[in-house]
């Protein structure tokens, strides 16, 4: 009996981490596509039948990719240079692929020597945005593999509408269901892979819900409700996992290039037809022993050099203290960095009320001498701003939602609600406000934690109208803030926040760190 083996390699959520380098901490890291490349090439040398697929969120996320988008977008994207060299078979559109607009994304797709897939992101006439919902790779032994690409359809809840104009985002689950029927009726194949830039909404072992079911992640539903999927490649949640769900082999390889997903499928041929006899999934982690593929990175070294020069540019000075030593404490009471970012937003928008977040726990605040590196290390997303008109009730509801970030442990100490840490850290979904005075009491029941809420020293009335500036992600309701969705937009500021912060500092030269203590979290 004739047998063969097919190896599927998966990267996902690289987020522009091409070099094994943390730009904020300025130190080498055991991550990045340059490290993964060594693992990929090792596997490609061993496997006689090997597919390499990226599952999305490749072209955004580091100062390198930001600098490219702002200053070098008329050249080939450095990530695409590396992916072409590594001979990727396909890539899936992730939600962050849209962060720099359709012009840049369209250029990236045209530069690629491989197809980009997403069956559920379509033009207004229903045709796929990138041209292909799926593709078939026929191996030398005539074994045929289908790769169907699909993307979380939650993107309109986050993305700047100008970046997705003319596109429709169809339900990912329903799209996979429809295309499975089409493929079964119209194609001959031996292995069907769904590569989904989305994750699992339930625990893969117990089936217990791990998040509010919004439709953002539908991987578990796909495995349990649809027939015909052999392998489900997932991402978006930044989880490191392998699983077998209802006979479907599932893998998700972490983020930032920390691990390579690998699925091995063994086949046997009987009466002229290939059949699957075994599937195994594993994660190959980058370690301190993993070599960097320096020859590969040399292809884009000039991009890195220009980025480092740009990051070293001096911007201005800080007097007093705007550094972060404990990110948890920053979220318990007003901090000079948060107050400063809110002031920048208020200045740019001409608004009296602002909200922002400390996006992750790696932010270090601003030292006394500020460079561009400090700015992009603390404000890591290419957000723009919107001023929306909301009611006092919306402000209270938003604060109550932010208050769910906290809970109390057995000792009645304030801790982070585990839902904001697992399965994916969501520190960016806790907002802190300027222009109002408020107190959140975590000992109170959820929904009743706002115990003080004033504007200009007077209690806010629920039917009062306010104009508030916030980032475009939050203004669209992203992060489970539906009270902001579809509100009247008073003003849009289309300069991204990194530029706004830099321009604010350059204009003033010296920034005085202040903290008016307008809010606090208590128990």
């Amino acid at each position: 009996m004739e047998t063969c083996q097919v190896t599927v390699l998966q990267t996902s959520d690289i987020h522009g981490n091409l070099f094994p380098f943390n730009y904020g901490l300025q130190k080498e890291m055991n991550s990045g596509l340059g490290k993964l490349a060594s693992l990929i090439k090792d596997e490609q040398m061993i496997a006689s039948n090997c597919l390499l697929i990226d599952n999305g969120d490749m072209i955004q996320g580091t100062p390198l990719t930001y600098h490219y988008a702002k200053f070098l977008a008329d050249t080939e994207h450095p990530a695409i240079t590396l992916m072409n060299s590594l001979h990727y078979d396909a890539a899936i559109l992730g939600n962050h692929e849209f962060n720099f607009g359709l012009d840049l994304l369209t250029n990236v797709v045209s530069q690629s020597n491989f197809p980009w897939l997403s069956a559920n992101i379509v033009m207004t006439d229903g045709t796929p945005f990138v041209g292909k919902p799926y593709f078939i790779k026929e191996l030398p032994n005539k074994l045929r593999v289908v790769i169907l690409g699909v993307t979380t359809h939650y993107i309109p809840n986050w993305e700047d509408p100008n970046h997705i104009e003319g596109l429709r985002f169809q339900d990912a689950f329903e799209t996979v269901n429809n295309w499975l029927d089409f493929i079964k009726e119209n194609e001959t194949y031996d292995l069907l892979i769904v590569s989904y830039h989305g994750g699992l909404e339930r625990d893969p072992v117990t089936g217990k819900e791990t998040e509010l079911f919004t439709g953002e992640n539908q991987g578990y539903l796909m495995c349990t409700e649809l027939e015909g999927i052999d392998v489900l490649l997932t991402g978006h949640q930044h989880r490191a996992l392998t699983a077998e769900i209802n006979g479907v082999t599932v893998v998700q390889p972490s983020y930032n290039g920390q691990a390579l997903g690998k699925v091995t499928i063994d086949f046997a041929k009987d009466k002229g037809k290939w059949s699957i006899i075994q599937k195994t999934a594993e994660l190959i982690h980058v370690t301190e022993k993993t070599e960097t593929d320096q020859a590969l990175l040399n292809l884009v070294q000039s991009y890195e050099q220009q980025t480092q020069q740009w990051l070293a540019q001096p911007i201005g000075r800080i007097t007093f203290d705007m550094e972060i030593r404990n990110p948890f404490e920053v979220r318990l009471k007003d901090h000079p960095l948060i107050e400063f970012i809110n002031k920048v937003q208020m200045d740019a928008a001409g608004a009296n009320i602002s909200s922002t977040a400390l996006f992750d726990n790696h932010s270090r605040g601003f030292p006394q001498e500020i460079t561009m590196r400090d700015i992009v290390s603390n404000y890591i997303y290419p957000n723009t701003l919107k001023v929306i008109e909301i009611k006092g009730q919306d402000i209270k509801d938003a604060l109550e939602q932010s208050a769910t970030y906290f809970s109390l442990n057995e000792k009645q100490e304030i801790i982070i609600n585990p839902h904001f840490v697992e399965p994916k850290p969501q520190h960016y979904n806790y907002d802190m406000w300027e222009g109002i005075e408020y107190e959140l009491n975590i000992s109170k029941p959820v929904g009743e934690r706002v115990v003080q809420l004033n504007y200009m020293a007077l209690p806010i009335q629920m039917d009062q109208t306010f104009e508030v500036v916030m980032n475009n992600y939050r203004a669209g309701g992203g992060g489970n803030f539906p009270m902001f969705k579809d509100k009247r937009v008073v003003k849009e500021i289309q300069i991204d926040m990194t530029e706004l912060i830099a321009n604010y500092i350059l204009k003033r030269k010296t920034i005085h760190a202040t903290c008016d203590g307008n809010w606090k979290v208590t128990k």
Side-chain angles (χ1 to χ4, degrees):
M1 181 181 294
E2 186 179 354
T3 62
C4 76
Q5 189 175 80
V6 175
T7 300
V8 180
L9 303 178
Q10 178 206 9
T11 57
S12 190
D13 298 273
I14 298 293
H15 287 291
N17 286 272
L18 308 184
F19 288 79
F21 186 75
N22 184 301
Y23 292 86
L25 301 176
Q26 297 192 66
K27 70 175 188 178
E28 296 292 318
M29 303 292 287
N30 291 316
S31 59
L33 189 57
K35 290 269 190 180
L36 283 184
S38 295
L39 303 179
I40 290 169
K41 289 181 177 180
D42 286 346
E43 294 294 330
Q44 288 173 331
M45 287 182 64
I46 298 170
S48 55
N49 300 300
C50 189
L51 285 81
L52 176 58
I53 300 169
D54 184 72
N55 196 56
D57 282 2
M58 171 63 80
I59 66 171
Q60 173 277 339
T62 59
L64 173 64
T65 51
Y66 178 89
H67 181 265
Y68 167 85
K70 292 300 176 182
F71 305 108
L72 300 171
D74 57 343
T75 65
E76 185 171 275
H77 196 290
I80 302 306
T81 299
L82 301 191
M83 294 175 76
N84 285 339
S85 181
L86 288 167
H87 305 294
Y88 271 79
D89 290 287
I92 313 305
L93 292 174
N95 52 295
H96 285 287
E97 257 68 70
F98 295 90
N99 284 173
F100 296 117
L102 291 181
D103 287 344
L104 186 145
L105 178 53
T106 302
N107 287 339
V108 162
V109 171
S110 68
Q111 294 163 7
S112 304
N113 296 339
F114 49 85
W116 286 77
L117 311 173
S118 186
N120 66 316
I121 302 179
V122 300
M123 309 296 290
T124 51
D125 64 359
T127 58
F129 164 56
V130 286
K132 287 189 175 185
Y134 67 92
F135 92 108
I136 297 178
K137 180 163 183 174
E138 185 172 298
L139 301 175
N141 58 7
K142 304 302 181 182
L143 190 149
R144 290 166 62 84
V145 182
V146 175
I147 297 95
L148 172 64
V150 67
T151 308
T152 177
H153 58 263
Y154 221 59
I155 291 173
N157 291 284
W158 310 312
E159 191 54 71
D160 184 336
N162 295 312
H163 291 171
I164 55 176
E165 188 174 1
L167 300 181
R168 289 194 289 118
F169 295 80
Q170 298 174 333
D171 184 277
F173 173 83
E174 294 297 336
T175 299
V176 172
N177 187 29
N178 294 336
W179 278 106
L180 284 177
D181 289 340
F182 178 89
I183 292 168
K184 290 173 186 176
E185 293 175 7
N186 294 277
E187 302 287 1
T188 302
Y189 61 93
D190 305 288
L191 176 67
L192 195 147
I193 299 169
V194 173
S195 189
Y196 170 43
H197 189 81
L200 302 177
E201 70 281 23
R202 293 178 179 271
D203 182 277
V205 177
T206 66
K208 182 180 179 181
E209 288 186 4
T210 53
E211 59 180 53
L212 292 173
F213 187 73
T214 62
E216 178 181 348
N217 299 296
Q218 299 175 304
Y220 191 91
L221 189 66
M222 291 178 187
C223 292
T224 54
E225 298 294 326
L226 301 179
E227 293 185 3
I229 303 173
D230 297 311
V231 175
L232 180 68
L233 307 179
T234 65
H236 184 56
Q237 292 174 311
H238 296 186
R239 299 171 71 180
L241 65 85
T242 62
E244 194 79 16
I245 304 174
N246 193 33
V248 181
T249 303
V250 182
V251 64
Q252 188 172 149
S254 190
Y255 65 103
N256 290 357
Q258 298 180 70
L260 178 68
K262 178 183 177 182
V263 181
T264 304
I265 307 101
D266 292 305
F267 289 85
K269 183 180 264 189
D270 184 29
K271 298 179 181 179
K273 180 173 175 56
W274 289 108
S275 298
I276 297 172
I277 56 175
Q278 181 174 292
K279 298 179 293 177
T280 57
E282 61 182 298
L283 297 179
I284 306 173
H285 292 273
V286 173
T287 70
E288 64 277 0
K289 296 181 180 180
T290 306
E291 294 185 4
T292 300
D293 190 334
Q294 196 56 54
L296 181 75
L297 292 181
N298 285 343
L299 298 175
V300 294
Q301 191 65 48
S302 64
Y303 291 91
E304 175 70 0
Q305 290 171 348
Q306 292 177 73
T307 300
Q308 292 293 348
Q309 291 169 3
W310 175 68
L311 289 172
Q313 291 180 40
I315 300 297
R317 297 188 72 255
I318 296 286
T319 60
F320 306 113
D321 188 359
M322 207 180 282
E323 295 191 52
I324 291 176
R325 295 169 182 84
N326 185 326
F328 182 71
E329 291 183 358
V330 171
R331 300 184 179 102
L332 291 177
K333 61 181 179 180
D334 196 17
H335 185 277
L337 178 70
I338 302 303
E339 183 166 305
F340 170 73
I341 300 229
N342 274 320
K343 282 183 176 179
V344 172
Q345 294 188 171
M346 294 158 78
D347 178 77
N352 294 325
I353 303 175
S354 172
S355 70
T356 191
L358 182 66
F359 295 118
D360 64 27
N361 286 340
H362 298 295
S363 295
R364 303 169 72 185
F366 290 156
Q368 289 192 324
E369 302 294 332
I370 311 172
T371 64
M372 279 301 303
R373 184 185 306 278
D374 300 311
I375 294 174
V376 300
S377 297
N378 285 281
Y379 205 102
I380 59 177
Y381 296 113
N383 291 332
T384 56
L385 298 177
K386 286 187 178 181
V387 179
I388 59 174
E389 184 179 274
I390 60 177
K391 297 291 187 181
Q393 184 68 57
D394 297 317
I395 294 177
K396 182 179 184 300
D397 291 344
L399 290 172
E400 291 288 1
Q401 172 57 32
S402 281
T404 65
Y405 179 81
F406 300 106
S407 59
L408 298 177
N409 63 15
E410 297 83 357
K411 298 179 180 179
Q412 297 302 295
E413 298 167 326
I414 299 176
I415 60 171
I416 300 173
N417 183 338
H419 288 295
F420 283 81
V421 180
E422 297 291 343
K424 175 182 178 179
Q426 296 184 52
H427 304 297
Y428 51 82
N429 283 330
Y430 171 73
D431 289 341
M432 294 158 281
W433 294 60
E434 189 67 28
I436 59 175
E437 303 87 43
Y438 64 94
E439 179 182 343
L440 307 178
N441 188 320
I442 309 307
S443 65
K444 300 289 186 180
V446 169
E448 301 175 19
R449 291 176 166 179
V450 178
V451 295
Q452 178 192 4
L453 180 56
N454 296 336
Y455 175 67
M456 298 184 71
L458 295 174
I460 287 178
Q461 303 303 309
M462 295 300 97
D463 60 351
Q464 272 184 277
T465 299
F466 300 90
E467 293 182 359
V468 179
V469 59
M470 61 187 70
N471 67 60
N472 59 291
Y473 171 76
R474 188 69 80 238
N480 201 24
F481 285 79
M483 69 291 298
F484 298 144
K485 188 174 174 60
D486 299 324
K487 288 297 193 288
R488 186 174 83 87
V489 178
V490 178
K491 185 187 298 185
E492 294 187 54
I493 296 91
Q494 290 299 329
I495 303 171
D496 69 62
M497 271 298 291
T498 301
E499 287 186 51
L500 289 174
I501 294 170
N503 291 341
Y504 186 95
I505 298 172
L506 284 167
K507 180 179 178 180
R508 291 159 178 80
K509 306 298 183 186
T510 299
I511 302 297
H512 302 286
T514 60
C515 186
D516 60 13
N518 66 298
W519 64 272
K520 60 183 176 180
V521 177
T522 60
K523 62 177 181 178

